[in-house]
Amino acid sequence: MFDLPDPESPPSARLRATLEMYADGVDIMRRGLRRDFPEATEADLLRMLVRWLHERPGAEQGDCDGTPRHWVPST
């Protein structure tokens, strides 16, 4: 684990912390899948993990309450 950067930290430190938290979350999910499916092969676990990352079962519209919005990039 790591310490969260100070809000005044450079963007690179905040990005590094974000990426580390993402990696930790993926690892936690992988461990949970291993616990839930002990008979699964590593390939099976990878497929389940990729599916979770792409489809987010149970959080298709995001992780928080509110009305889903479709983002349109400005040109």
Side-chain angles (χ1 to χ4, degrees):
M1 290 307 242
F2 56 89
D3 293 322
L4 291 175
D6 184 278
E8 300 301 318
S9 297
S12 60
R14 294 192 311 268
L15 176 60
R16 187 175 311 108
T18 300
L19 295 174
E20 288 175 7
M21 286 187 283
Y22 173 83
D24 287 345
V26 169
D27 188 50
I28 290 168
M29 185 63 184
R30 185 189 57 74
R31 290 176 191 208
L33 289 169
R34 168 56 69 205
R35 183 190 64 239
D36 293 344
F37 302 98
E39 74 288 347
T41 65
E42 286 301 316
D44 292 336
L45 288 174
L46 181 59
R47 276 191 290 279
M48 288 186 274
L49 185 59
V50 168
R51 178 178 174 265
W52 177 75
L53 287 168
H54 287 187
E55 298 177 12
R56 299 293 311 281
E60 293 81 4
Q61 301 298 321
D63 293 325
C64 62
D65 295 332
T67 305
R69 301 278 189 235
H70 295 286
W71 182 74
V72 178
S74 59
T75 54

